[in-house]
């Protein structure tokens, strides 16, 4: 009998990025990108958007570039405990929890790794913050992460079977868009040569906020490397940038809203007209494609490479 997913994920809460250029990255996200620092330590900083999450982004000083962890919301500590039982039944041992997590933003949660070494966190009861006004053209929070995978079928199977995500659409056999709530996607996988972070997207409240946000970045001397435009799959607006770490970040808005029992997944052809509905963005540059491919990321818990150990 098929086992049920380990939990019902309510939302993507936050993403942690590992960065060797910690100071520059923190300045970029706080001063240009429009996030606000909620807490900072010598080797980490936590930044929020205008939404209800304590933080959308954690930057952690590291000797290597990569994805630290992806954090999803579950409803209650009891669901976290049940998720731990179900993970164990599948032969997956949490690397932390279930229990109170000793971290900024708190939460009752657990962490485990996916088959490519990404660190996944499920939490309930994180610290409440007061939502801020949405007038300013700054991000509400993080809304999706696109992950490069060496095996898109295995990755989609794991995130659907284990985490209960649903496939909203495919872009040929190259990308799969997965949802956990009404938003068309919170995670997308991109078939690539290796596992790495492709990009992290931040939600702008409307297409007007999105465009004004581009204007604010322009005043900081930052122009999009791809965009503005509107994607076919997900129907969301997009503008892609590279942060000081070399990781790609996106402003997006107006992602398609899925009515759960009415949605029928499609396979989109990969044509310029469908990936750029407005025809404003053109083809992505070689440079942004290179940043989206990134470098092989074995995950935050992988043993350091021998060269790194020797230099440590
Ligand atoms: Fe995106």
């Amino acid at each position: 009998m098929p086992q049920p997913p380990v939990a019902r994920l309510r939302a993507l809460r936050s993403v942690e990025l590992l960065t060797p250029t910690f100071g520059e990255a923190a300045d970029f996200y706080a001063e240009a990108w429009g996030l606000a620092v909620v807490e900072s330590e010598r080797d980490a900083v936590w930044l929020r958007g205008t939404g209800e999450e304590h933080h959308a982004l954690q930057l952690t000083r590291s000797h290597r570039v990569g994805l630290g962890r992806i954090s999803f919301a579950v409803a209650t500590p009891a669901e976290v405990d049940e998720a731990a039982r179900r993970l164990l039944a599948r032969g997956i041992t949490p690397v932390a929890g279930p229990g109170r997590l000793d971290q900024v933003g708190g939460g009752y949660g657990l962490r485990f790794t996916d088959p490519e070494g990404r660190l996944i966190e499920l939490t309930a009861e994180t610290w409440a913050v007061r939502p801020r006004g949405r007038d300013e053209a700054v991000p509400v929070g993080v809304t999706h992460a696109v992950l490069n995978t060496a095996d898109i079928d295995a990755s989609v199977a794991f995130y659907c079977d284990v985490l209960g995500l649903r496939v909203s659409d495919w872009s040929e056999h190259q990308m799969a868009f997965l949802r956990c709530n009404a938003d068309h996607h919170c995670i997308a996988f991109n078939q690539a040569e290796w596992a790495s972070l492709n990009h992290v997207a931040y939600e702008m409240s409307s297409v007007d906020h999105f465009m004004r946000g581009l204007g604010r970045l322009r005043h900081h001397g930052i122009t999009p490397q791809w965009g503005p435009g509107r994607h076919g799959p997900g129907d969301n607006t997009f503008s892609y940038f590279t942060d000081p770490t070399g990781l790609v970040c996106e402003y997006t808005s107006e992602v398609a809203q899925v009515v759960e029992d009415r949605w029928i997944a499609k396979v989109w052809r990969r044509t310029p007209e469908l990936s750029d509905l407005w025809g404003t963005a053109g083809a992505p540059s070689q440079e942004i494609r290179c940043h989206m491919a990134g470098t092989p990321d074995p995950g935050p818990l992988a043993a350091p490479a021998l060269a790194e150990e020797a230099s440590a």
Side-chain angles (χ1 to χ4, degrees):
M1 208 173 91
Q3 300 178 70
V6 303
R8 183 173 155 213
L9 308 189
R10 308 301 171 117
L12 175 62
R13 280 195 200 279
S14 64
V15 168
E16 178 191 9
L17 302 178
L18 308 181
T19 171
T21 51
F22 176 72
E24 294 96 316
D27 287 349
F28 170 82
Y29 283 104
E31 289 167 19
W33 197 245
L35 300 179
V37 173
V38 276
E39 192 127 351
S40 66
E41 295 175 358
R42 195 179 73 88
D43 292 327
V45 62
W46 292 263
L47 301 112
R48 64 171 289 187
T50 58
E52 295 179 4
E53 289 298 337
H54 173 271
H55 60 272
L57 174 65
Q58 177 181 338
L59 295 171
T60 303
R61 191 192 304 273
S62 172
H63 57 275
R64 66 182 176 200
V65 173
L67 181 60
R69 68 187 196 279
I70 301 175
S71 183
F72 293 99
V74 297
T76 63
E79 288 190 23
V80 172
D81 289 338
E82 180 62 21
R85 283 190 287 274
R86 293 184 187 182
L87 282 166
L88 285 169
R90 290 169 175 270
I92 301 168
T93 305
V95 296
R100 293 272 157 212
L101 298 176
D102 180 19
Q103 61 183 359
V104 170
Y108 187 99
L110 62 77
R111 296 176 181 173
F112 65 98
T113 54
D114 78 7
E116 290 185 310
R118 297 180 199 87
L119 187 58
I120 306 297
E121 182 179 278
L122 310 181
T123 52
E125 295 188 347
T126 54
W127 297 346
V129 293
R130 185 194 290 268
R132 302 193 305 169
R134 289 198 176 197
D135 294 342
E136 259 190 285
V138 297
V140 177
V142 60
T143 179
H144 69 255
V146 175
L147 308 171
N148 296 316
T149 174
D151 187 341
I152 195 167
D153 293 319
S155 292
V156 169
F158 184 88
Y159 278 71
C160 290
D161 294 348
V162 178
L163 287 171
L165 301 189
R166 283 85 70 196
V167 174
S168 293
D169 280 314
W170 286 86
S171 175
E172 295 184 359
H173 194 212
Q174 178 63 43
M175 291 188 74
F177 297 86
L178 310 180
R179 70 181 182 276
C180 67
N181 54 31
D183 287 349
H184 178 272
H185 55 284
C186 61
I187 295 289
F189 282 102
N190 177 54
Q191 176 65 50
E193 285 182 52
W194 54 69
S196 59
L197 178 66
N198 185 288
H199 68 267
V200 176
Y202 297 81
E203 182 197 353
M204 304 299 271
S205 296
S206 69
V207 73
D208 184 67
H209 290 79
F210 168 85
M211 290 304 290
R212 288 194 286 126
L214 297 188
R216 202 192 58 257
L217 290 175
R218 181 175 286 276
H219 282 291
H220 283 89
I222 301 165
T223 51
Q225 288 173 302
W226 188 31
R230 183 161 214 141
H231 286 310
D235 199 34
N236 53 309
T237 66
F238 66 87
S239 270
Y240 296 93
F241 304 84
T242 305
D243 75 10
T245 311
L247 297 170
V248 176
C249 45
E250 175 189 6
Y251 276 173
T252 187
S253 66
E254 302 187 343
V255 72
Q257 297 297 293
V258 168
V259 177
E260 195 59 45
D261 292 321
R262 291 191 197 160
W263 187 265
I264 295 168
K266 292 181 288 294
V267 180
W268 292 74
R269 283 179 303 117
R270 295 178 69 79
T271 63
E273 312 80 66
L274 292 178
S275 76
D276 173 25
L277 294 178
W278 288 339
T280 48
S285 66
Q286 195 53 43
E287 188 188 3
I288 193 75
R289 291 167 64 97
C290 186
H291 285 294
M292 285 174 161
T295 51
D297 185 349
L301 304 184
L306 288 175
E308 290 169 354
E309 275 179 328
S311 68

